[in-house]
Amino acid sequence: MANALQQALALLEDVTPLDADCGQVCDGRCCRPSADSIGMLLLPGEDTLLAGEDYTITTADGGMLLTCGGSCRREMRPFACRVFPLFPYVGEDGRVRAVYDPRSFRLCPLTQNCARVPLRRDFVRAVRRAGRILMRDPACAAFLRAQSREIDDLGRLLPLGDERPPIARRKLR
């Protein structure tokens, strides 16, 4: 259902993690091709929305993988870039929460310093709402659930510590 995907993308159009340009904190590491950044997984159907842009889209484990040259038209950013360094995590109970994506830990100082650098509340809420919108689409819901289980697996392998990030109401199990 492209409608849910388009709604989620529109919701995230103008919100950012910080009041300032967070790319200045890390010199845009998440936007630069590097050994640490192999690309972003696309939501089901997102590849057709981004066709014609200056991206390389390939098939990868778990879906389609987008790589870029380090710059894009802001309004044509993929979902994963819009929510970075968060992810709309779907718990076993079916609730959507905005969580730090452990896959962002190598790249993002916001994740590495999550206890000291709080994210904007409107950004966190938009990520959570976008996840709830995507859950209306069966293919997107399956993708979010699969990625949430991967986040669970990574969390068991690479615990980020005992302190709760400022966006989690309670620890994830």
Side-chain angles (χ1 to χ4, degrees):
M1 172 197 285
N3 193 26
L5 177 54
Q6 290 168 332
Q7 288 176 13
L9 290 170
L11 183 64
L12 296 160
E13 180 66 33
D14 295 320
V15 294
T16 58
L18 300 176
D19 287 328
D21 178 0
C22 64
Q24 291 184 352
V25 174
C26 64
D27 194 28
R29 288 183 70 193
C30 60
C31 292
R32 281 196 332 250
S34 70
D36 289 335
S37 174
I38 59 169
M40 295 292 199
L41 276 175
L42 298 178
L43 290 162
E46 197 171 13
D47 56 326
T48 58
L49 290 176
L50 298 173
E53 295 298 312
D54 191 22
Y55 297 129
T56 301
I57 299 175
T58 55
T59 303
D61 288 341
M64 304 299 285
L65 186 69
L66 177 140
T67 53
C68 71
S71 64
C72 67
R73 292 189 306 146
R74 184 167 177 79
E75 67 275 7
M76 296 306 292
R77 288 171 299 147
F79 180 81
C81 293
R82 293 174 193 230
V83 300
F84 193 82
L86 302 182
F87 189 81
Y89 174 92
V90 182
E92 295 293 336
D93 60 0
R95 288 185 57 205
V96 176
R97 297 170 180 89
V99 302
Y100 283 99
D101 189 332
R103 298 169 288 198
S104 71
F105 189 75
R106 293 182 313 180
L107 286 175
C108 184
L110 300 179
T111 304
Q112 296 164 4
N113 297 294
C114 63
R116 293 187 305 278
V117 183
L119 303 180
R120 286 177 44 175
R121 293 179 66 83
D122 62 334
F123 172 72
V124 174
R125 286 183 186 128
V127 171
R128 192 170 45 237
R129 281 197 315 261
R132 289 178 184 147
I133 290 169
L134 291 170
M135 289 300 289
R136 297 181 201 151
D137 175 81
C140 288
F143 177 86
L144 292 181
R145 284 189 191 97
Q147 292 303 305
S148 296
R149 299 303 66 84
E150 185 168 317
I151 287 171
D152 289 341
D153 291 344
L154 287 170
R156 283 189 283 279
L157 294 171
L158 304 167
L160 296 178
D162 291 333
E163 59 191 43
R164 288 186 346 183
I167 57 173
R169 290 191 185 125
R170 60 182 97 123
K171 283 189 175 188
L172 302 175
R173 291 178 215 156

